[in-house]
Amino acid sequence: MVMGELVDEVDVAVVGGGPGGYSAAFRCAELGLETVVIDADGRLGGACLFEGCIPSKALLHVAAVVSEAERAREWGVDFGEPRISLDQLRKWKQERVVGKLARGLASVAKGKGVTVIGGRAVFEDSTTLRIEGESLQKVRFKHAIVATGSAPAPLPGIELRSDRVMDSTAALELPEIPERLLVIGGGYIGLELGTVYATLGSRVTLVEMTEGLLPGVDRDLVQPLQRRVEKLFAAVHLGTKVTALREAGGHVEATLEGQGAETFDRVLVAVGRRARSRGLGLEATGARLTERGAFVQIDERCRTHDPHLYAVGDVTGEPMLAHRAMRQGKVAAAALAGQPAAFDNVAVPAVVFTDPEIAWCGLSEAQAKSQGMETKVAKFQWAASGRAATIGRADGLTKLVADAASGRVVGVGIVGPGAGELIAEATLAVETAALVEDLAATIHAHPTLSESLMEAAESLLA
Ligand code: FAD
Ligand code: NAD
């Protein structure tokens, strides 16, 4: 890059410094391409590091410790009532967890020679970006990678601007532990952050519009979580909508369809996320958006309809997960460098970090059937696992879905503590087209929860 000029000229301009953007930029730099990242916040990490995966998992770890201490009473160990210092908790999350990782990313960027520019980027045409930061700047590029991510979706039809109505970003700041918290949306965020607040002491009421928590996820996996959540939360209303929110006397009054009005101290709105594809000047390029969701349309090499533009991550659609964004980032970098690369992964694992955790990859039983596949399905209950007994958690389940004709493992679902770690082996099995026999004949350390995969596989061979 030629510094000091009005217009910077680079090989690759990455717009957005989240996991999709920084993974792409790092790979581009490794491939010898001069690369800049333009991020509105002037730092690498994006929603994942500053307002998503990382802070939520730090708080969920704290919640898990509190829950485990409660469970320990059953085993004759009593730590007493937890005393929570919110200031210290916020400081730990912000400085020791998020801050440390942010500094790490900044130093990796420096080491690889990736320049980070702070400011909002807008496309002027297919090879030029205008950057609206402290000073106006232009970047001319051979290729750009759009990685602008997503933002919380507002509650349709309800307009109440109040500090008491939070999105996930505000809720992760832990402004207080409200006495009564209404969570709207029984998806990933509603369940994860609902768990955090309920464990820290809030009376949580969750309202989910559809007839079940985590719509679309295998009910065999959701059931144990639902049982736990019904105990942990004050109330769970399924098939219910919030029709009005009104601030009154320092509280929020919510009208729940068919249930009347209830008063809460705070509300968390977690009804999905939407693509950040507007206001980016994409209309000045050849890139196209989908009609539903305004996602940037891409092919398997992450190319948009404009030969200069690639796109990765949440802005390209579901599943909006950091690890998918990262993989796409690497694919886009290799593709624009002319290497053979495609986002052709068979399995994108998903993990809901609740207690118990839910994780899955590949095809669910229902998806396999809807594709006309004849399946063999094993369900291994953790009640029969030695390891589950030693940690006092018999409430887990490992479910294996295999193609009856070939014996290939096509999908796995796990519910139970540590499911998020266990799904890695399952994802490798699905991705590498492992056979049920392969899982059954692989020695799994005893006693571990990973044996549940082997046991499930063995039961299909019996
Ligand atoms: P983002 O991380 O959203 O980054 C986009 C970046 O682009 C941002 O820094 C933004 O400021 C910048 N930007 C936007 N527009 C412009 C512009 N015009 N100019 C310059 N910069 C711009 N996923 C998981 O896999 N696991 C989890 O545990 C998990 N937990 C989550 C918890 C919460 C509460 C939330 C909200 C999300 C969670 N996610 C999780 C989802 C994950 O955060 C996203 O999938 C991931 O961050 C997407 O990465 P991305 O690179 O596409 O975009
Ligand atoms: P979500 O799509 O997971 O869940 C939204 C829920 O809100 C759904 O169950 C939906 O039926 C419900 N809903 C929609 N409108 C409603 C209304 N008006 N009233 C009541 N319920 C309503 O979305 P989210 O929880 O906001 O999370 C957004 C995305 O962020 C996720 O889809 C996921 O991609 C990502 N995320 C991932 C993780 C993880 O990987 N562990 C954690 C958090 C977020």
Side-chain angles (χ1 to χ4, degrees):
M1 181 175 22
V2 186
M3 300 299 289
E5 286 185 9
L6 202 62
V7 181
D8 289 338
E9 299 210 352
V10 295
D11 293 320
V12 184
V14 179
V15 183
Y22 70 68
S23 302
F26 292 167
R27 194 77 197 109
C28 285
E30 285 160 10
L31 293 170
L33 300 167
E34 193 166 8
T35 307
V36 296
V37 178
I38 304 120
D39 187 87
D41 299 319
R43 58 192 185 184
L44 300 184
C48 172
L49 178 53
F50 298 103
E51 55 200 50
C53 325
I54 299 298
S56 62
K57 263 76 264 180
L59 295 180
L60 277 159
H61 176 65
V62 173
V65 170
V66 172
S67 301
E68 200 67 355
E70 267 165 29
R71 280 195 191 98
R73 291 203 185 113
E74 245 180 73
W75 317 325
V77 182
D78 194 339
F79 295 96
E81 283 305 307
R83 281 175 302 164
I84 294 152
S85 160
L86 272 191
D87 277 341
Q88 202 173 329
L89 181 50
R90 278 190 216 110
K91 204 166 164 213
W92 169 71
K93 165 179 72 73
Q94 218 43 44
E95 292 173 15
R96 301 283 295 280
V97 182
V98 174
K100 184 169 175 280
L101 292 170
R103 286 190 294 279
L105 279 176
S107 101
V108 174
K110 205 169 167 206
K112 292 187 189 290
V114 170
T115 307
V116 180
I117 302 173
R120 224 176 65 81
V122 179
F123 286 94
E124 290 199 327
D125 56 43
S126 295
T127 53
T128 318
L129 278 164
R130 186 176 73 244
I131 297 158
E132 299 163 351
E134 274 172 21
S135 58
L136 212 62
Q137 191 180 344
K138 285 193 185 182
V139 171
R140 200 158 285 145
F141 53 83
K142 291 189 187 122
H143 288 108
I145 301 176
V146 182
T148 47
S150 63
L155 201 55
I158 298 183
E159 270 285 330
L160 172 60
R161 280 185 199 281
S162 157
D163 286 350
R164 297 192 170 277
V165 180
M166 309 180 288
D167 60 16
S168 54
T169 307
L172 283 168
E173 293 295 325
L174 274 191
E176 61 171 348
I177 304 297
E179 211 179 300
R180 294 158 302 181
L181 173 70
L182 172 65
V183 173
I184 307 178
Y188 282 84
I189 293 178
L191 288 166
E192 289 187 354
L193 294 186
T195 297
V196 168
Y197 275 93
T199 312
L200 295 183
S202 295
R203 278 176 55 79
V204 172
T205 296
L206 184 142
V207 175
E208 162 59 41
M209 177 177 81
T210 68
E211 292 304 324
L213 299 173
L214 292 168
V217 180
D218 187 335
R219 295 299 97 184
D220 285 340
L221 306 180
V222 175
Q223 218 176 42
L225 173 64
Q226 182 152 344
R227 276 199 295 268
R228 166 82 181 135
V229 157
E230 278 168 356
K231 274 195 202 143
L232 182 67
F233 292 1
V236 176
H237 300 294
L238 300 175
T240 306
K241 266 191 182 167
V242 172
T243 51
L245 287 178
R246 187 172 76 86
E247 195 157 13
H251 303 294
V252 179
E253 197 184 85
T255 309
L256 313 191
E257 202 177 46
Q259 321 260 335
E262 263 191 65
T263 303
F264 297 93
D265 301 291
R266 282 188 183 256
V267 179
L268 164 62
V269 178
V271 295
R273 290 177 67 82
R274 61 182 183 194
R276 272 211 194 107
S277 55
R278 306 276 190 210
L280 255 181
L282 284 174
E283 54 290 350
T285 73
R288 289 187 209 155
L289 303 183
T290 59
E291 251 170 57
R292 270 198 74 194
F295 296 116
V296 180
Q297 289 183 29
I298 52 167
D299 66 9
E300 74 290 348
R301 285 166 68 76
C302 299
R303 291 179 298 199
T304 70
H305 286 85
D306 187 315
H308 294 281
L309 263 56
Y310 287 66
V312 301
D314 285 8
V315 76
T316 65
E318 301 278 354
M320 293 196 192
L321 297 172
H323 41 276
R324 166 188 176 255
M326 292 190 233
R327 170 82 190 129
Q328 284 182 318
K330 290 170 197 163
V331 167
L336 70 78
Q339 294 187 348
F343 188 86
D344 53 4
N345 291 64
V346 181
V348 180
V351 183
V352 189
F353 292 86
T354 39
D355 176 18
E357 290 181 353
I358 296 186
W360 66 93
C361 68
L363 299 177
S364 68
E365 186 180 0
Q367 284 168 333
K369 283 194 177 135
S370 75
Q371 290 186 10
M373 186 184 286
E374 204 181 311
T375 57
K376 283 168 100 179
V377 176
K379 294 183 197 179
F380 178 79
Q381 303 286 350
W382 287 16
S385 153
R387 187 62 182 141
T390 64
I391 59 169
R393 296 299 300 259
D395 55 341
L397 171 80
T398 299
K399 186 168 174 180
L400 201 73
V401 183
D403 172 22
S406 63
R408 263 181 42 218
V409 180
V410 293
V412 175
I414 306 175
V415 56
E421 304 293 336
L422 294 172
I423 205 66
E425 179 187 353
T427 311
L428 186 65
V430 175
E431 193 64 44
T432 56
L435 300 177
V436 172
E437 279 94 332
D438 297 324
L439 274 184
T442 299
I443 299 175
H444 290 69
H446 178 73
T448 64
L449 297 170
S450 71
E451 288 171 292
S452 69
L453 277 163
M454 177 184 71
E455 300 265 9
E458 276 176 359
S459 75
L460 286 185
L461 299 175

